[in-house]
């Protein structure tokens, strides 16, 4: 790769047990940084995902960070502001090695226009959630997230099984591409509508999707056949969701579960209106962007109207976080928000107990480390069905990407238990080397996002962002190795704030102490946040686990 | 005092060397909390200043905090969300005892309407800067701030002296009440317009204001008489600034310096429109709040138009941080921002070196402790003219309020030097007991406030709030005893984010370590922030003081 006349090697995460830094904690964070680039979509631009979600402000910043990580002592802290390294400060050995704040803008200025202006000037960078925090581990996260939602729906509405059920959805993009795989993992018959045939083909060649057709009748026949036998199948239908959803309504066909994962949040680059080819989209975007936006919104309205009809006919319909309801609502579909958001409908009972997407990465690159931990979990967390189910399925379906990694939904206490066990395995040589722990920012105490994470909170505290800020401050006070605060950029500007945390299990006794404090406190705050909003599950968890809530 | 049928004692800060908590660090924070209430304006409502700036969410929250502070161990952390105690977590002895996040709301929702809605539901509280952070020490902070601005104006525009000069301003509230005293300290003739006669009387009985009148002619006669002789005088005129300022324009009278410190930032509770009595304000607010807002804004527009005319006629006119320009601008005074903000015009060269308002409080209540420290500063900081001038003046003019306290503008290295010397004096018994150190949130690395603190930054980074978030995270990582992140509420909703820090010098060796790390890092980040924006003074400071900036 050549950038500004300088030839750059393709960046991949360093493997093995040799250190380039002054300790494993520093080395671990450096490998996590390299790993998000290895797994990222456009390394030349330092973009990890979602078109703008970056790992560092620019290449100078990247090299400055690498240099800093190679040189800092274990009692120093590197400060990073929106992907740019600022300075190194003397702290202490139980302070984070890295603290970050990415893309935070004062409220009144937190708009996409101002964000783009600052980005243009090189003053800011959007870090997504896990991109700038060096925590992204590839597709596994989103496969697992989608799987978990389907599994929660099965539990809540279908006596625990989706065998014989028909899931309708749309979009096979970066995130949406996980849907057919997740559908098969829950034994369902899943139909995914996608306008871009190349995306359908890619998902087939990736092994994420089984069948492709341009013909709705053929697609439905495959779905019916599998469903009637209780077998799983995934079908990619080349077509427009704004046509197919209403057509099914017309034919009086009602799927069991309906959602959508087109990029409906973005009217210019994300959603293809009915009667447009892919080329039409490009052409109209150049010459008449307003028309494209209007047409996209009109088509979204048709699709959402069909979704509402499915709901009235008894289907389980939910918004998967792409703002499709807002777009339809703004077009005039006044009851669009009768569609549930997935977080509130399915994940809140879990978040109320701080059960959420915990992750670990094998820093030496040895896949056996992940398998060993998989086995440990299957042996020791029999009660945690969510985690143990997932781990068996992931073993079967999910290829490793970058440094071998695994995700699992664990709650308060469980995360610490697992991390301490892993640290012991690092210490006694059962594992080939250190393991890094992190989690998604979409976690109990870590995110305020009133249209996704914290919609319709019981007490109405949807937009209060004290919580993620407290979360990051608490991580800094609780021996985390890296702590970060992110806010939304691009189309998400002004819509969210979140916090991230990373810890390194390097087998030392100090790591035992760090893991215990940081992980316990991270999940405690999650439980306390939902308890404060009045969720029963949290109050129960507090009592069961002895979390020290202050009752007024 | 009786609240909800329960008789409450008037709260004052506990004095003496007896402890009610498990250590001096906890006891210190408890006394700081009590002290902001002792110094506050409306204890019954827990309001410290600025109509809404509170110390705790409500009385239950207050008592919960007190109880928690009395019980926590030195290796635990109390988490406070918008003035409400949430829980106690096990951290470690070099972690903060208290972390807080107050009034933070996600960007798109950060409006005054939404804030009031949340406040109404009891879900949030505005903490001002130092109110919720338990750092307010009474009027001295603002007297000194106002004095420093007048002194800087004298230096920059009037050959170092304001003797014989006429200052016009408005507002004798919690903060504004400091103006007449600061005016006299710089030898000027100062006229302060205030609608509420009770406030004028209070300032006279406090010794902050010399004369009162309802008659503009009499007021001007006093001003002229003093100014002509080069003598200082302070005059409180009962009247409305929206009438008086334009009236002076009409009479072709141009003061030398003009500003305003009414609560113009808040149209419902802060600014009294022309032709309204105090009772009118209450009545209209209840039945027709929109009308009150419109009338307030119209009156502000008249006042600001007059200020602009004064400026055109040669006066030094500045906004003292009450958002008055924004209100006028939104009403239609399109050139409102031709008025300078005091921070950019007078304080930025200081902030670029992290020179800012450092403070200390004698926790036993012994005034001699402050005098001893005053003497130490006068002996040891001869080069710091700003601090030593102030300390002599404060000794003469500023009565102690609540726990004896002092403010002084100190920069990187100086703060640590002073704090370590003080800690040594605590240790060896020169002082009667521990001292708490804090600073205003309006400090170099600690505030993003695009209309006040960070207006027209050299690189255009005005609204990026990564910095105060990093500041708080760094404080948590650097052994601060209390760290907090605040955002604006009421009329400031969506306009700012800041961070606060408190440290306790209890004479221990651990306190030496805490003070050194936390204070050095706090000011380092301040210098780094301005260096990042391109200020020469910061680059110079970095070189002189060996701050470890990462150069890209
Ligand atoms: N759970 C969450 O909160 C969460 C997580 C990830 C992604 N998302 C959101 O999900 C959406 C999808 O993410 P992505 O990364 O897959 O986006 P993407 O842009 O990579 O893919 C979107 C796909 O939808 C297809 N498409 C667009 N309009 C269509 C139409 N009318 N009919 C059929 N297909 C159409 C496009 O061809 C494209 O392949 C985004 O809005 C994203 O922000 C939410
Ligand atoms: N330097 C800073 O950044 C800084 C520091 C402190 C306060 N402030 C701001 O300064 C303002 C004043 O603070 P405060 O604590 O004194 O507020 P306050 O509400 O206690 O006092 C405001 C005073 O103004 C008077 N007033 C209102 N409208 C008037 C009018 N039209 N004419 C004459 N008098 C009028 C009121 O009667 C009241 O006494 C606030 O906006 C505050 O946020 C800024």
């Amino acid at each position: 790769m050549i950038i500004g006349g300088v030839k750059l090697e393709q960046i991949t995460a360093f493997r093995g047990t040799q250190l380039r830094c002054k300790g494993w904690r520093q080395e671990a964070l450096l490998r996590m940084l390299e790993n998000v680039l290895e797994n990222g979509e456009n390394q030349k631009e330092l973009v990890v995902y979602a078109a703008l979600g970056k790992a560092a402000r620019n290449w100078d910043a990247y090299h400055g960070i690498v240099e800093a990580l190679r040189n800092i002592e274990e009692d120093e802290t590197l400060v990073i502001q929106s992907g740019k390294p600022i300075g190194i400060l003397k702290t202490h050995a139980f302070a984070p090695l890295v603290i970050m704040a990415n893309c935070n803008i004062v409220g009144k200025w937190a708009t996409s226009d101002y964000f783009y202006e600052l980005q243009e000037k090189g003053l800011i960078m959007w870090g997504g959630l896990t991109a700038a925090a060096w925590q992204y581990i590839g597709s596994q996260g989103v496969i697992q997230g989608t799987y978990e939602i389907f599994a929660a729906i099965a539990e809540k509405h279908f006596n625990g099984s989706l065998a014989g059920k028909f899931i309708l959805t749309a979009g096979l993009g970066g995130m949406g591409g996980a849907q057919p795989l997740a559908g098969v993992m829950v034994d369902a018959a899943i139909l995914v509508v996608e306008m871009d045939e190349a995306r359908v083909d890619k998902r087939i060649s990736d092994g994420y999707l089984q069948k492709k057709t341009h013909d709705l009748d053929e697609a439905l026949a495959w779905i019916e056949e599998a469903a009637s036998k209780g077998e799983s199948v995934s079908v990619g239908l080349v077509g427009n969701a704004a046509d197919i959803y209403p057509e099914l309504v017309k034919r009086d066909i009602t799927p069991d579960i309906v959602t959508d994962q087109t990029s409906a949040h973005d009217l210019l680059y994300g959603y293809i209106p009915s009667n447009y080819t892919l080329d039409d989209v490009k052409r109209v975007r150049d010459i008449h962007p307003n028309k494209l936006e209007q047409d996209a919104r009109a088509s979204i309205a048709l699709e959402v109207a069909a979704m509402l009809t499915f709901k009235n006919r008894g289907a389980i319909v939910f918004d998967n976080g792409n703002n499709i309801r807002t777009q339809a609502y703004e077009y005039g579909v006044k009851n669009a928000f009768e569609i549930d958001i997935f977080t509130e409908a399915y994940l809140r009972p879990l978040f109320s107990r701080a059960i959420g997407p915990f992750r670990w990465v094998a820093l030496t690159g040895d896949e056996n480390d992940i398998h060993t931990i998989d086995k440990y979990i299957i042996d020791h967390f029999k009660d945690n069905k969510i985690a143990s189910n997932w781990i068996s399925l992931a073993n079967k379906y999910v290829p490793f990407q970058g440094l071998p990694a695994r995700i699992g939904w664990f709650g308060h206490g469980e995360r610490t238990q697992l991390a301490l066990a892993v640290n012991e395995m690092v210490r006694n040589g059962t594992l080939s080397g250190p393991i890094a722990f992190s989690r998604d920012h979409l976690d109990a105490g870590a995110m305020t996002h009133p249209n996704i994470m914290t919609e319709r909170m019981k007490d109405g505290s949807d937009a209060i962002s004290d919580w993620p800020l407290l979360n990051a401050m608490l991580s800094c006070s609780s021996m985390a190795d890296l702590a970060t605060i992110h806010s939304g950029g691009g189309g998400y500007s002004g819509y969210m704030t979140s916090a991230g945390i990373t810890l390194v299990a390097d087998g030392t006794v100090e790591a035992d102490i760090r893991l215990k404090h940081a992980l316990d406190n991270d999940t405690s705050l999650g439980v306390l946040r939902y308890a404060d909003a009045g969720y029963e599950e949290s109050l129960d968890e507090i009592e069961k686990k002895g979390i020290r809530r202050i009752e007024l």
Side-chain angles (χ1 to χ4, degrees), chain A residues 213-524:
Chain A
T213 176
H214 287 73
D215 177 6
L216 174 58
D217 292 318
E218 185 172 39
L220 289 173
W222 287 335
I223 293 287
E224 263 164 58
E225 197 198 332
S228 66
K229 297 191 206 150
E231 285 172 3
S232 67
V233 72
S234 61
V235 178
L237 171 63
V238 182
N240 195 308
D243 301 328
I244 302 294
Y245 285 41
E247 175 64 20
L248 291 183
V249 165
K250 223 170 86 191
R251 296 190 187 186
D252 210 6
I253 296 173
T254 304
D256 297 292
I257 299 170
V258 181
T259 187
D260 171 286
Q261 219 166 350
T262 60
S263 278
H265 75 274
D266 193 315
L267 299 172
L268 277 178
Y269 291 85
Y271 191 89
I272 303 160
S274 177
N275 296 320
Y276 275 62
T277 63
L278 298 181
D279 282 345
D280 290 343
V281 172
K282 284 196 195 111
R283 206 171 29 79
V284 180
R285 185 162 57 218
D286 285 346
I287 58 171
H288 204 156
N290 286 350
K291 178 173 161 47
L292 177 60
E293 290 188 333
Q294 277 163 29
D295 289 346
R297 205 171 254 147
S299 288
I300 288 173
L302 288 176
E303 186 184 338
V304 170
M307 291 171 82
L308 286 161
T309 309
F310 290 137
K311 183 178 154 84
N312 289 337
R313 293 183 183 164
I316 304 302
V317 181
F318 66 95
D319 175 329
N320 202 2
N322 63 352
N323 246 8
I324 196 167
R325 299 171 305 167
T326 309
Q327 305 286 18
Y329 179 85
E330 283 175 6
Y331 187 81
V333 184
K334 287 301 166 210
N335 57 342
F337 280 84
E338 287 175 12
I339 295 172
D340 286 327
I341 182 82
F342 69 105
T343 34
E344 188 200 359
Y346 305 110
L347 303 184
R348 193 154 298 162
L350 298 175
F351 287 141
S352 296
R353 296 184 187 277
I355 298 168
F358 193 45
R359 305 165 171 194
W360 48 100
V361 174
L363 294 166
T364 64
D366 188 342
E367 298 184 358
N368 288 326
D369 290 351
I370 297 299
H371 296 309
T372 305
I373 301 172
D374 282 352
K375 193 170 162 337
Y376 177 87
I377 291 168
I378 288 169
D379 290 349
H380 292 83
F381 287 90
K382 293 207 166 54
D383 290 348
N384 184 335
K385 283 266 151 33
I386 300 180
S388 45
N389 274 349
W390 169 253
I391 280 162
S392 316
L393 285 167
N395 252 307
K396 189 165 150 201
Y397 290 106
V398 184
F400 287 123
Q401 231 181 310
L403 290 174
R406 185 68 78 224
I407 231 175
W409 280 51
F410 287 93
H412 179 71
E414 293 179 329
R415 296 189 191 185
T416 312
Q417 187 189 332
L418 175 61
L420 291 178
V422 166
N423 198 44
E424 175 58 34
M425 290 191 264
V426 176
R427 181 159 44 230
N428 67 25
T430 308
L431 299 174
S432 74
I435 303 290
F437 287 94
S438 71
R439 54 157 174 74
D440 197 3
H441 292 208
L442 189 98
D443 200 31
M447 183 185 275
T448 300
H449 197 331
N451 285 351
I452 294 183
M453 182 70 177
T454 48
E455 181 165 324
R456 287 196 294 245
M457 291 293 287
K458 220 170 179 173
D459 62 345
S461 60
D462 303 19
I464 294 177
S465 57
D466 289 335
W467 300 101
L469 304 186
L470 287 170
N471 184 268
M473 293 169 84
L474 186 58
S475 293
C476 291
S477 310
S478 304
M479 313 184 194
D481 289 311
L482 175 148
T484 183
I485 299 172
H486 289 197
S487 286
Y492 288 116
S493 296
Y495 280 92
M496 54 113 9
T497 296
S498 68
I501 180 171
T502 300
L503 283 148
V504 183
D506 61 4
T508 59
V509 176
E510 287 77 11
D512 284 335
I513 299 172
R514 284 193 185 93
L515 291 163
K516 171 145 184 56
H517 285 80
L519 295 174
D520 275 353
N521 288 348
D522 186 39
T523 46
S524 289

Side-chain angles (χ1 to χ4, degrees), chain A residues 176-223:
Chain A
Q179 298 180 102
L181 185 53
V184 166
M185 285 173 143
V186 292
D187 302 322
I190 182 166
L191 175 61
V192 192
V193 185
E194 165 61 59
M195 266 302 287
D196 184 349
E197 185 166 2
R199 297 270 180 135
V200 180
D201 292 336
K202 180 170 185 332
R203 291 314 174 178
I204 288 191
S205 72
D206 286 351
Y208 279 40
L209 175 68
Q210 296 164 347
K211 287 161 180 272
K212 165 176 116 173
T213 176
H214 287 73
D215 177 6
L216 174 58
D217 292 318
E218 185 172 39
L220 289 173
W222 287 335
I223 293 287

